[in-house]
Amino acid sequence: MAEAQERKPDPATVIGGMVFAVMLLDAEGCIAETNHAAEMLLGKSEKRLLGQPLADVVELIDERVIEHLEEPDASLVARDIRLFVDGQEHRVNLTISPLAAYPGWRVVTLSDSGRDDAAREQEGEAASLGAPAILAHEIRNPLAAIRGAAQLVARKLEPAERHLARMITDEVDRIARLIDRMQQLGRSTPEKLGPTNLHEAIRSAIATVRAAGNDGVEIVEEFDPSLPPVLANRDALEQVLINLLSNACDALRNSDTPEPQVSVRTRFVSGFAFSAVHFGRTVKLPIEITVTDNGPGIEESLRDHVFEPFVTSKKSGQGLGLALVRKLVRDMQGRIAHERDTRLGLTHFRVHLAVANREKSA
């Protein structure tokens, strides 16, 4: 027991190793101590942060949080709030804990708002998609029979009436494509992962979207050429990017944006917002792909549900594209998030992936 106590890490080591940001504020609301994750989030070293008022380095939007920070003895737990760091929007869970023995002193923590619920969401997602996938399997055979019957009927119809049979086969094909996507969503076995050249996958996806016609929408590349291979499945990654790029182009085509543009940016990032819990362990996700468009954005009532199946603002959409994107990203042990920058009028979809470990992936 005594030996175990000797090996026990001290509190500073424990706090320093946390994947979410921890900051100690003094009675004046200034930063007195931080951990490494806080440095990464705020983009500054602890030396530069010490003595700075928290309000000078983090721009809070939620009035509740601002009011609680002005009350030294108030505690708070706030989920999924918006804040800005150097103009970059983050969605976080925030806690404020006063230290009773030190009047006015508080501990503030910031954690990615998606991390706490990730496992629960994934379980719920699997349950909600399992039934549609089974149903889709049962529908496929009758659909094939209907299509075959329509083709036989078409041969016996007068030419002027054959368009009715073609309408049947076209609708059957449309339903079959929908079923294919439903089955993809319900599939529990992910594709094999390995080292993947990120920029080759992006350029291939851009070429596919351009070939389909982007109607005057400019697609811009902003790549960091020094990035290492990511842990991914090449086909799945391309599908993710094609869906995101196509959605962005669709949003711009249906708007009156004067200079419609979609940008794809890659960069290396670190900090609390870019980790995920996978099979009970923390997985670092330092490679970021951001697909940005300058369109009107997703309807506010749908923004918190964009990755859920059958949620869409498109008149002819089925609401499965982004649900499939989330599943494919999760199968690659990554994370995806949606953000709307109301200041600049930009919509961001950010995909975070792990760096490939060549020894384990080979």
Side-chain angles (χ1 to χ4, degrees):
M1 188 69 172
E3 185 179 348
Q5 288 292 333
E6 290 178 4
R7 296 199 308 268
K8 183 178 178 181
D10 60 83
T13 301
V14 172
I15 294 172
M18 289 180 174
V19 295
F20 56 85
V22 180
M23 291 171 282
L24 175 65
L25 304 186
D26 63 21
E28 304 300 323
C30 297
I31 299 173
E33 194 169 340
T34 68
N35 68 347
H36 181 65
E39 292 180 281
M40 294 297 99
L41 166 64
L42 302 175
K44 298 180 177 70
S45 66
E46 184 180 50
K47 184 176 180 181
R48 293 180 60 194
L49 291 170
L50 294 183
Q52 294 291 319
L54 179 63
D56 287 356
V57 293
V58 173
E59 183 180 354
L60 296 164
I61 306 299
D62 195 305
E63 291 296 331
R64 297 171 307 154
V65 178
I66 296 172
E67 290 173 3
H68 276 75
L69 279 173
E70 293 173 351
E71 300 177 16
D73 298 324
S75 60
L76 176 68
V77 176
R79 296 179 60 81
D80 196 27
I81 66 168
R82 296 168 58 225
L83 57 79
F84 288 87
V85 178
D86 291 334
Q88 175 69 56
E89 180 178 341
H90 296 273
R91 301 294 290 264
V92 301
N93 298 328
L94 176 146
T95 69
I96 302 175
S97 305
L99 302 177
Y102 297 86
W105 287 68
R106 290 157 289 174
V107 175
V108 175
T109 69
L110 300 171
S111 63
D112 179 7
S113 62
R115 178 186 298 140
D116 294 344
D117 296 326
R120 192 184 319 129
E121 285 179 6
Q122 204 156 355
E123 290 175 3
E125 178 188 349
S128 65
L129 294 174
I134 294 170
L135 181 62
H137 179 74
E138 295 301 320
I139 291 174
R140 185 177 291 280
N141 288 337
L143 275 182
I146 293 170
R147 192 180 196 284
Q151 289 175 325
L152 289 174
V153 169
R155 297 175 186 174
K156 300 179 181 181
L157 292 175
E158 296 296 328
E161 297 176 338
R162 287 176 186 170
H163 72 281
L164 297 173
R166 285 197 299 272
M167 183 185 299
I168 294 173
T169 57
D170 289 346
E171 285 301 297
V172 167
D173 290 342
R174 183 183 65 81
I175 296 171
R177 290 193 295 271
L178 176 60
I179 286 174
D180 287 340
R181 301 181 85 177
M182 291 173 67
Q183 287 186 312
Q184 277 187 289
L185 282 169
R187 188 174 60 200
S188 58
T189 304
E191 300 290 344
K192 184 178 179 181
L193 306 181
T196 301
N197 186 308
L198 178 63
H199 297 131
E200 286 182 1
I202 295 174
R203 288 196 171 105
S204 179
I206 290 175
T208 299
V209 173
R210 283 176 173 158
N214 46 326
D215 295 338
V217 177
E218 183 183 14
I219 301 178
V220 178
E221 300 175 1
E222 300 177 27
F223 294 168
D224 178 351
S226 67
L227 294 181
V230 297
L231 180 65
N233 175 274
R234 171 66 184 263
D235 291 340
L237 181 56
E238 280 191 32
Q239 186 62 57
V240 165
L241 293 163
I242 288 170
N243 283 19
L244 293 178
L245 288 165
S246 297
N247 282 354
C249 289
D250 287 345
L252 288 165
R253 275 196 292 267
N254 298 324
S255 72
D256 55 359
T257 304
E259 296 181 2
Q261 183 183 92
V262 176
S263 66
V264 187
R265 181 187 184 193
T266 63
R267 63 171 184 156
F268 188 94
V269 295
S270 58
F272 86 98
F274 310 106
S275 300
V277 176
H278 184 73
F279 295 131
R281 62 187 178 87
T282 299
V283 179
K284 295 294 185 182
L285 306 174
I287 306 298
E288 180 183 87
I289 314 163
T290 304
V291 177
T292 299
D293 71 77
N294 60 347
I298 296 168
E299 294 176 18
E300 190 170 356
S301 61
L302 299 180
R303 287 177 190 171
D304 292 334
H305 308 281
V306 292
F307 297 111
E308 296 175 12
F310 312 114
V311 172
T312 182
S313 59
K314 297 179 182 179
K315 293 181 179 179
S316 60
Q318 293 99 23
L320 294 177
L322 288 176
L324 177 60
V325 163
R326 180 172 68 171
K327 182 189 186 307
L328 293 175
V329 171
R330 285 180 171 176
D331 285 348
M332 291 185 285
Q333 303 178 17
R335 293 211 44 227
I336 183 167
H338 162 263
E339 298 170 10
R340 176 64 181 173
D341 188 334
T342 53
R343 293 178 172 182
L344 299 178
L346 300 174
T347 298
H348 306 289
F349 280 88
R350 303 186 193 279
V351 177
H352 297 111
L353 298 171
V355 174
N357 183 324
R358 292 183 179 277
E359 294 181 0
K360 292 183 179 181
S361 303

